[in-house]
């Protein structure tokens, strides 16, 4: 009889059936932005616009794609509902990972980081909202999650543990506000290998870190925030030492831009390639017996340049870009530097090869792990260069085909056909060829180098302010430089190519940059 | 949709344990790699969707060492013979599909072009024996 059927989704004026509003089992995703009020203090309108844009470009489409429903915005966050716990967690992982990419090009104080909680429970569904313990628990999980983290309840874990290949770190049973029974909490780690390194930090250590940093730091507010956001996942010992360190002890070498052309006689050859003998910061920690070899950075003044060329369709149209001052590493990251990250359990795959050879076989995703680690350990904000920054740096102030002119010359770069001698099996150590006018080595040839940008097949619509060109969904990132296995046309500073974001290939490496 | 799906696949599959630098990974004798589309001799418009077919083996993510599975590489206008002892090159003529893609949106200038598929193992090396498709020729209108 038709009268017995009522609409599950009721209008505002719709009447409920006799037994009350519709209840159902649902997976609730609750998210909020860590430090939202701080972001609003820095830039109210800008932050609001960014959050709205995120919602439009990332949050809502990702939820829809996973068959979820965007229930409501909570000012600095949102509430979403899913039929399936697997889809809910997948959606949350994608949002968190997309945020890593989106933040990568920004200075850290402008990062937007979500904390996300996921719970499976019985809820009351209204047209514009959901209610019930099921929702409250999701919100509490979100509340205890670290920025950038995803916490799920035991119920969700049981449903997804054999279906989603992730790491799950049990955080034990937690008593949460206004919920009688303790909730078992799991932290989702997209990389299963990360489970080993992740250890919950004792409450005492948190207190120590916080007090030390408050006392030590003159810029109390910001610094404390850095600490809170960046330290808790890591060894307490390191954190305690960190404030004592002088982060500015490693002043990057400054380089003047040759405005016209002249090749300012650069250092002839770097004898010791990894070589940053001066900029070392000793960090005492049982896990890291050797001092961390920080990347040697070169500061570049900003400026306008013509990006692109007519040599390949992907390099068109040539367009004017105005790059802000930034610093970029003098050499690609070496095997030795990479393996220090591996030794700290922060990077996954141990690199093979000589210590002063550039690291290879790293995916774009791998580079983010390294950057997170080196930023944390040095208390400096490293990132990948943007594509525009990379080309600006590679050109060294020149608009010619190569940084040294329009003709190929031996001894300038490591590629297949660049020089008489050629070793196909491995790249030469970093700094084996002449530096460009900015004093940068291996900008062209050697190893392919990942940059922040998502791949776009040409420059139609590219940003002109030197920032990275990002998308919501980025399955392929830009690589620059060409490798020792490519022909000389890849050595050109304008040459560009791309590769799957999370796939490793034996000629792919990277160098790091810093905003100033 | 496809891109999103493959992107997701990329995210999930990289989470699996990885062992690379494999060489001479055996392939079943009856493995058959072919173009679903386009076919040899076709005159087509650019850009086009190139679809890869594989029988008696599985498609997986680069870096995964599952038996009898690999990932696609599309060779465009490549004349040099394949070196079985080196990873399949990566450049503008050797396109990699390490996220497990089975089709690709290809843009080529007008004229004749050759296309060939090669299956790569976890470390991007060809299998032993190499799993290659027929080299087809297409004409872009």
């Amino acid at each position: 009889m038709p009268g017995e059927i009522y609409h599950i989704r009721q209008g505002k004026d719709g009447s409920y059936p006799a037994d009350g509003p519709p209840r159902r089992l649902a997976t609730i995703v609750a998210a909020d932005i860590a430090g939202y009020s701080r972001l609003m203090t820095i830039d109210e309108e800008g932050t609001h616009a960014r959050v709205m844009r995120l919602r439009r470009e990332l949050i809502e489409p990702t939820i829809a794609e996973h068959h979820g429903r965007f229930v409501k915005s909570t000012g600095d966050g949102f509430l979403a509902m899913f039929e399936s716990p697997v889809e809910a967690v997948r959606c949350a992982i994608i949002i968190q990972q997309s945020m890593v990419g989106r933040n990568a090009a920004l200075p850290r104080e402008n990062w937007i980081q979500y904390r996300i909680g996921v719970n499976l429970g019985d809820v009351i569904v209204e047209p514009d909202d959901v209610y019930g313990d099921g929702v409250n628990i999701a919100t509490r999980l979100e509340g205890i999650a670290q920025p950038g983290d995803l916490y799920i309840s035991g119920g969700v874990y049981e449903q997804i543990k054999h279906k989603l290949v992730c790491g799950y770190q049990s955080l034990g049973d937690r008593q949460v506000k206004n919920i009688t029974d303790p909730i078992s909490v799991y932290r989702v780690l997209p990389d299963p290998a990360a489970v080993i390194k992740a250890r919950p930090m004792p409450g005492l250590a948190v207190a120590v870190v916080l007090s030390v940093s408050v006392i030590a730091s003159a810029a109390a507010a910001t610094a404390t925030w850095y600490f809170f956001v960046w330290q808790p996942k890591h060894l307490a010992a390191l954190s305690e030492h960190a404030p004592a360190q002088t982060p500015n002890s490693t002043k990057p070498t400054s380089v003047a831009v040759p405005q016209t052309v002249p090749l300012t006689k650069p250092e002839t050859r770097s004898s010791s390639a990894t070589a940053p003998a001066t900029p070392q910061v000793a960090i005492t920690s049982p896990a890291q017996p050797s001092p961390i070899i920080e990347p040697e950075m070169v500061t570049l003044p900003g400026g306008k340049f013509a990006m692109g060329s007519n040599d390949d369709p992907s390099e068109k149209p040539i367009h004017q870009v105005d790059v802000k001052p930034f610093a970029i590493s003098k050499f690609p990251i070496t095997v030795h530097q990479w393996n220090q990250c591996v030794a700290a359990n922060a990077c996954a795959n141990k690199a093979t090869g000589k210590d002063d050879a550039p690291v290879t076989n790293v995916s774009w995703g791998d580079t983010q792990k390294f950057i997170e680690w080196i930023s944390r350990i040095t208390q400096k904000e490293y990132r990948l260069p943007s594509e525009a920054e990379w080309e600006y740096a590679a050109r060294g102030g020149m608009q010619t085909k190569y940084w040294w002119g329009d003709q190929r010359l031996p001894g300038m770069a490591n590629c297949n056909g660049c020089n008489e001698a050629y070793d196909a099996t491995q790249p030469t150590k970093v700094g084996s060829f002449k530096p460009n006018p900015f004093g940068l080595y291996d900008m062209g040839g050697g190893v392919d180098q990942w940059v922040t940008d998502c791949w776009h097949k040409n420059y139609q619509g590219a940003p002109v302010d030197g920032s990275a060109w990002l998308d919501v969904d980025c399955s392929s990132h830009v690589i620059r430089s060409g490798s020792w296995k490519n022909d000389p046309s890849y050595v050109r500073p304008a040459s560009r190519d791309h590769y799957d974001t999370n796939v490793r290939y034996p000629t792919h490496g990277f160098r790091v940059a810093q905003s100033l | 949709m496809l891109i999103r799906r493959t992107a997701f696949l990329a995210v999930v599959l990289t989470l699996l344990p990885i062992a690379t630098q494999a060489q001479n990974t055996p392939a079943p004798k009856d493995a058959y790699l072919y173009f679903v589309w386009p076919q040899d001799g076709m005159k087509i418009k650019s850009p086009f969707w190139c679809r890869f077919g594989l029988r008696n083996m599985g498609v997986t993510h680069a870096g995964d060492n599952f038996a009898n599975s690999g990932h696609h590489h599309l060779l465009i206008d490549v004349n040099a013979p394949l070196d079985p002892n080196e990873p399949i090159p990566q450049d503008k003529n050797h396109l990699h599909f390490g996220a497990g893609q089975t089709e690709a949106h290809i843009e080529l200038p007008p004229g004749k072009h050759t296309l060939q598929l090669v299956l790569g193992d976890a470390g991007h090396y060809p299998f032993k024996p190499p799993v290659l498709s027929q080299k087809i020729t297409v004409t872009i209108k």
Side-chain angles (χ1 to χ4, degrees), chain A residues 190 485 499 502 504-505 508, chain B residues 14-15 86 88 90 96 124:
Chain A
K485 291 199 169 197
Y499 206 73
N502 287 306
R504 295 173 182 148
Y505 186 78
H508 297 173
Chain B
T14 27
L15 313 176
E86 279 290 312
I88 296 161
Q90 186 265 307
H96 286 226
H124 308 273

Side-chain angles (χ1 to χ4, degrees), chain B residues 32-50:
Chain B
Y32 178 58
L33 186 57
Y34 63 101
F35 285 96
V36 177
W37 206 91
Q39 275 143 24
D40 195 23
M42 274 187 167
K43 282 188 181 166
I44 53 173
K45 279 185 190 163
S46 171
F48 63 97
W49 279 97
C50 186

Side-chain angles (χ1 to χ4, degrees), chain B residues 79-100:
Chain B
N79 292 319
L82 186 72
D83 185 341
N85 300 315
E86 279 290 312
I88 296 161
Q90 186 265 307
D91 55 38
K92 284 170 183 165
N93 299 94
H94 297 77
L95 308 186
H96 286 226
F97 300 95

Side-chain angles (χ1 to χ4, degrees), chain A residues 65 90 94 97 165 190 192 361 448 457 473 475 479 485-486 490 496-497 499-500 502-506 508, chain B residues 3-4 7-8 10-11 14-16 18 20 61-62 86-92 96-99 101 107 124:
Chain A
E65 202 180 312
R90 273 183 185 159
I94 286 179
Q97 299 215 331
V165 187
N361 209 32
D448 294 289
K457 65 177 184 178
D473 209 342
S475 57
I479 44 174
K485 291 199 169 197
N486 290 133
Y490 290 79
R496 57 199 297 263
D497 206 345
Y499 206 73
D500 284 322
N502 287 306
V503 181
R504 295 173 182 148
Y505 186 78
H508 297 173
Chain B
I3 295 173
R4 297 212 162 152
F8 179 68
V11 168
T14 27
L15 313 176
L16 298 169
I18 288 170
T20 48
H61 189 270
E86 279 290 312
I88 296 161
Q90 186 265 307
D91 55 38
K92 284 170 183 165
H96 286 226
F97 300 95
Q101 300 96 318
E107 209 171 329
H124 308 273

Side-chain angles (χ1 to χ4, degrees), chain B residues 30-77:
Chain B
D30 55 356
Y32 178 58
L33 186 57
Y34 63 101
F35 285 96
V36 177
W37 206 91
Q39 275 143 24
D40 195 23
M42 274 187 167
K43 282 188 181 166
I44 53 173
K45 279 185 190 163
S46 171
F48 63 97
W49 279 97
C50 186
R51 298 184 203 279
F52 322 143
L54 176 63
R55 284 184 210 152
N56 304 321
M57 275 188 87
V59 172
T60 186
H61 189 270
D64 291 342
N65 267 325
F66 300 129
N68 292 340
S69 55
H71 65 279
H72 289 293
H73 299 79
L74 176 62
L75 277 45
I76 302 174
D77 298 328

